[in-house]
Each structure stands twice: as C-alpha cells, then as structure tokens.
C-alpha cells in the first residue's frame, strides 16, 4: 500500500486475480469530439492528441475518415492526421467503408477501426444496412487493411441494450462478435452505446463469448452511472483493454440526458487504486481535460477532473 | 433474464454469489439536505420522506437532532419528525450526543445513529474531541438508546482517506469499528467521506474487519466516480446494507468539487440489473428526486435521474 496525501491519488490496494496492467484505448479525440456540439479547431485537436500522449496514453484514436456530411466535427481528418502521425503512440482511425480506408491508407494510417452494430435497428439507423450487409461491407475493409500490414479493431455497438429494441439477447451479440473476429479483426470493442449494462450482464456476455481476452476491449457509457462498476466486472474476467474518453468528452453534463463515455480520469483513479499499471500521469491528464473543457466552454463531466481541478486552484 | 424496452429498466442478469436482497439505507433527507445550500421547508421535507416511503424505501434517515447552530438546514427536527413518524418504515435519526438523544427519545424516536470518525483530524474538526473522547461521549448514548429498546447505527467517517491525513491505515479503522460494535452498536456504516476509495481497498477493509456482514453497511461518495464500483465489491463480500441518497442529494453537480453521496437511483439501476431485490420502484423514486430538484432549483446530479427524467418528457 502507498499513500499520497495532498497529491490526489488513491491508496493502492491491489486485488488478487486482476490484471497487472491495463491498456487504455483513449477515444476522446474521435468518439468524444464527434459527439460534442462545438467544433474544435484542427490545431487544438492536434495539441489535444499531443497532450494525451504526453500524459502517458499509448493508444489514442485520432479521428474518423467518415464522410464530412455525417460527422462535420471531424471533417478535417486529412489535415489533422499528419500533424500527429509522428507521435510515438498508436493512433488508430475510424474508417466506415473502403472509401474511408483509402483516405486513411493514403496518409499512412494502417491502424484502423470499423463500426458494426449488434442490432438490426441501429445497423439500419446508423449504416442504412442490415447487420449482415454491414458485415459484408466491412469484409474488404478488414482484408485490405490487413494486407497493408495494418491492425483492425472492430467496434460493436448496442451489445447490451438498444433504444428501439430494448435488451439485446446475448447470443445475437456473440454471433456478430464471432463474425468480426472470423473476418480478421485483431480486436473487438464491446460497446454499451446507451449505457444500460450492469456488471452481471457484462460478465454473462464475456463468458458466453468465450474469446481470448487479449482480443477484447470494453467500451462503457456512464448514462446511468454504471460504467466503472461494469469495467471492474470486466477486469475480474481478465479483460485488459478498456476504452475511455479524456474528461468524459462526448457527453454533456448539462444536457438532460448525459450519454457520455466513461471518463478516462475516473477509470485511471480506479486502476491506480487497484494497483494496476496504466502508464498514465493523472495530473497531466486532468490538466489536459480541464484545458479542453475551456475550449468547449463548459466544465468536464468527469467527477475526478472536477474534484482534482478544484484542488489545484 | 427479462427485458423492458421503453420502461428504462436494465436487463436483469443475476450473478452467482451476490446477495438476493439489499436493504438501502436512504440518507437523502438527512445527510443529503444537511449538505445542500438551500434550506427546504418542513412540509416539503415531510412530503419528501413520504414519497421515498411510497417509492418502496424501508429505511429512511429522517433528520438530525444536532444543535441548530451546526446544521441550520435540519433545525426543524422537532417539527418534522412527528409529521412522518406514522409511516410504516424505519426512520432513524442522527443524535450527536446525549442531549440529542434526549430530544429524539422525547419524540418517540428510538432508532438512532451516532457519527464517529476513524481519524484524529476529523474527530477534532467535526467533534472537537480525540477519537477516543468521541467514543466515550457515544457510550452513554448507545447504552441509553439500547435500554430504551432502540436500535443504534454507528457511522464511521473517513474510513479510507482523510483530507488532512491522506490514506487511512486499515488497522486504525478496524480498531474504531470494533469499539463501536463492542459498545453495542447494532450496525456500522463504513463511510468514504471524501470519496477516494477503490474496490480493492474496500475489499481489504471488509476482510480485515471480519465482522458479521449483517452488522455492516457501506456509505460511498461519488467524488471521484468510484461509489458504484466500490458498492459492487462490497456486495461480492456479502454486504447487504448500502447507504445512498435519493437524487444524489448533498453534492452539487455545478460546484467545482462534487462530493456527493452515491445516488439511490444509480444504485437501484445496478441492483435491478444484478437481479437483486430492493423493493424500490425506480420510476417513483426518479419522479421524487426530480420533484425535489425542482425545490432545490437545480438538476439532480444522479445520472439515472437525468437519463430517465429526459425519457419521460
């Protein structure tokens, strides 16, 4: 055990059976900013990614090569990516289809992610396709990225609940997970897009899926405040990749429905308390999120950012 | 498993080894309102307690018989208690000392709570006594309450961290816990007053303490977003009493440092998802917290209240 009064760090009390190290897949610059109303200048985004790397994050999803019509906030992907490409960290980018992959490859980005749905309703709403049509669309994307020596992450959204369909049956989720792994995805990110999951549900899905834990990441939203409890359940299952968004970007604390991502700082607080190594300097990360909150013109929804920013003042 | 699309309930996926039922010790009317800037009218408080009972909560801490100088928000205890005393629920009240106990007993309140500290710094700041002097002060309170046929809860604050002392050594906490149990407290509430605890720390304290779980409750704050993960760890240890505050009362979401209690709604969401019975009707509880937020003139900090209030509109 170690204590750090005044430093704003939890006492580290390791727990038997948990991983020694967790890799945080930082999604603030892509998933976060994509869901913020304000559009952030390209230079600020580049500075954000640099500061995240400087805080010790090693996987920073940088942007998305989706058509600017759908995500105007990230329309500057071609301009942004070269500004951060030299950083000594992994910089995956989202590619919705082959056209997006072409754009990414043209810039030398070979670490890519595709975005699938576990439910027909969301596949239709988000991709205007059935689940299987979407999988067919991703097949050449994955094959070509792999042929180019790349690494492919498969996001799977609506793994627990869906706003139109309610609770999502676990076998339905497992089928799509297996299809993504079978087509060559190097890792899966299991997404609770509407934040309804609870720890037993997480454990049940991971058990049913029965995939190698090194191929699995979890992506929880804090809509109902469950993200960290769910993460803890996933760690107990052996998962070592956790998605989070610096400062909780992507969920506005003043909107009536805050559908935000798990805040990276709240995650780091728990992992440090559990004695799990992340490589992240919490103070630098909090300073970065407070700085970005200034650019967005509103406080961070991360409880840890609020508590520690207050302390520093 | 059951699903309830549109109803805003999580899919229930029970987990082996967890309790079948949890008793929520609702602290919103006392601990919550005591820490809100706004003073609420006595009639509104009585209506609040009634609505909490109507929502299915069975233990509702009603008020505090502390001197009005220290907690002006609860100066109306004598007026309030008789307005709710007839409700078919347990209505514990906080009593700081024998004078407070006299006031409680005069109104027929025999279910009382004392408020101790695990650290010298907080005992000094809050009670102007050493830890042992405070314990000596509580001894006749506990003895007389028990002699009157009462039930005594011992709150223990600063069980994990202290703002002056940093991390609190577990043996120090265990010593005060045992003293409170030895003097006759029927139950303990282990408080993370500044919200710094993480799940491994919770598990370590419960293991070291090694007390009968039916005598233990946990009281977590969401300052760093850890309250629900910590609760989940306590459930895995077998704890079946969890403190929470309706709507997260007691922590302002717009203050720079939100030191709020765990919101009862966020807790109920997790427990329902785990298939653990609480007897609480989440819809009624959310409506009650939204109503109280109106009286306080600000939105609830509970993520579940925000998400479900939005849905209903």
């Amino acid at each position: 055990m170690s204590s750090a009064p005044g430093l704003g760090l939890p006492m580290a009390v390791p727990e038997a059976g948990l991983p020694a190290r967790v890799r945080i897949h930082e999604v603030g610059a892509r998933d976060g900013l994509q869901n913020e109303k304000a559009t952030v200048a390209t230079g600020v985004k580049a500075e954000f990614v640099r500061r995240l790397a400087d805080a010790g994050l090693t996987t920073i999803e940088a942007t998305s090569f989706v058509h600017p019509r759908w995500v105007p906030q990230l329309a500057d992907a071609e301009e942004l990516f070269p500004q951060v490409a030299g950083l000594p960290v992994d910089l995956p980018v989202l590619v919705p289809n082959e056209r997006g992959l072409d754009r990414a490859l043209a810039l030398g980005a070979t670490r890519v992610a595709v975005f699938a749905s576990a439910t027909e309703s969301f596949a239709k709403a988000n991709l205007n396709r059935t689940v299987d049509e979407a999988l067919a669309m991703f097949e050449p994307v994955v094959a070509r990225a792999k042929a180019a020596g790349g690494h492919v992450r498969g996001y799977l959204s609506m793994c627990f609940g869906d706003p139109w369909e309610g609770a999502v049956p676990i076998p339905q989720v497992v089928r799509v997970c297996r299809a993504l792994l079978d087509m060559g995805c190097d890792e899966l990110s299991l997404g609770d897009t509407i934040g309804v999951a609870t720890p037993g549900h997480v454990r049940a899905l991971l058990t049913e899926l029965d995939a190698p834990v090194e191929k699995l990441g979890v992506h929880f939203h804090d809509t109902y405040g469950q993200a960290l409890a769910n993460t803890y359940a996933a760690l107990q299952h052996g998962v070592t990749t956790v998605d989070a968004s610096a400062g909780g970007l992507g969920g506005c604390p003043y909107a009536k429905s805050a559908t935000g991502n798990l805040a990276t700082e709240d995650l780091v607080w728990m992992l440090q308390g559990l004695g799990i190594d992340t490589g992240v300097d919490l103070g630098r990360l909090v300073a970065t999120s407070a700085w970005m909150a200034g650019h967005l013109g509103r406080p961070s929804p991360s409880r840890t950012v609020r508590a520690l920013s207050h302390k520093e003042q």
Side-chain angles (χ1 to χ4, degrees), chain A:
Chain A
M1 296 179 195
S2 64
S3 114
L7 282 179
L9 293 176
M11 179 161 89
V13 187
E15 181 178 322
L18 295 191
R21 187 173 169 83
V22 157
R23 183 174 63 88
I24 297 174
H25 185 106
E26 169 58 47
V27 301
R30 197 277 301 166
D31 188 8
L33 292 182
Q34 153 178 347
N35 288 297
E36 292 285 339
K37 270 186 193 158
T39 299
V40 175
T42 307
V44 172
K45 288 177 186 170
E47 176 70 10
F48 184 45
V49 173
R50 276 192 292 268
R51 291 182 68 150
L52 292 171
D54 193 48
L57 289 154
T58 56
T59 307
I60 304 170
E61 199 161 302
T63 187
S64 170
F65 289 92
V66 67
H67 194 288
R69 190 188 308 138
W70 308 121
V71 185
Q73 293 92 334
L74 304 183
D76 59 354
E78 261 83 6
E79 200 188 336
L80 171 67
F81 192 80
Q83 294 187 32
V84 296
L87 290 170
V89 297
D90 286 333
L91 294 163
V93 295
L94 194 72
V95 295
N97 48 32
E98 286 196 87
R99 172 76 190 104
L101 178 68
D102 290 338
R103 293 170 59 198
L105 292 175
L107 291 170
T110 54
R111 206 169 175 101
V112 301
V114 296
F115 195 84
S117 169
T119 67
E120 294 295 344
S121 300
F122 189 64
K124 181 75 185 168
N126 194 48
L127 304 166
N128 198 28
R129 281 170 170 78
T130 66
V131 167
D132 287 336
E133 284 167 359
L135 290 172
M137 175 174 74
F138 296 137
E139 207 146 10
V141 176
V142 176
R144 288 181 50 208
K146 300 287 293 178
H151 176 280
V152 183
R153 154 174 266 224
Y155 278 106
L156 188 59
S157 54
M158 305 297 172
C159 286
F160 299 91
D162 173 289
W164 299 276
E165 301 179 18
V168 181
I170 288 175
Q172 175 179 331
V173 180
V174 168
R175 183 186 78 83
V176 188
C177 285
R178 296 218 170 111
L180 287 165
L181 289 172
D182 288 348
M183 78 172 65
C185 284
D186 297 286
E187 73 177 34
L188 286 184
S189 169
L190 305 171
D192 180 19
T193 317
I194 59 169
V196 296
T198 48
H201 195 167
V202 171
R203 197 178 299 274
L205 173 57
L206 290 169
T207 303
E208 274 303 306
L209 178 55
D210 194 25
V213 286
E214 63 273 15
K215 292 202 162 195
L216 298 181
V218 287
H219 184 111
F220 294 120
H221 279 211
D222 235 351
T223 321
Y224 299 87
Q226 310 294 308
L228 213 45
N230 290 338
T231 300
Y232 181 52
L235 295 176
Q236 290 183 329
H237 186 87
V239 168
T240 58
T241 297
V242 180
D243 296 7
S245 173
L249 284 179
C252 176
Y254 303 111
K256 279 183 177 167
S257 174
T259 55
N261 285 296
L262 170 60
T264 311
E265 292 84 357
D266 297 5
L267 171 64
V268 169
W269 187 278
M270 183 175 80
L271 295 176
Q272 288 200 348
L274 288 164
I276 296 173
D277 181 27
T278 63
V280 173
D281 180 317
L282 186 57
R284 284 187 189 180
L285 182 58
V286 166
T288 298
S289 291
W291 166 84
M292 180 50 88
H295 279 284
L296 294 170
R298 57 138 184 90
S300 164
S302 161
R303 294 181 190 261
T304 300
V305 170
R306 289 210 301 263
L308 293 180
S309 302
H310 180 58
K311 265 195 191 160
E312 279 167 14
Q313 282 158 9

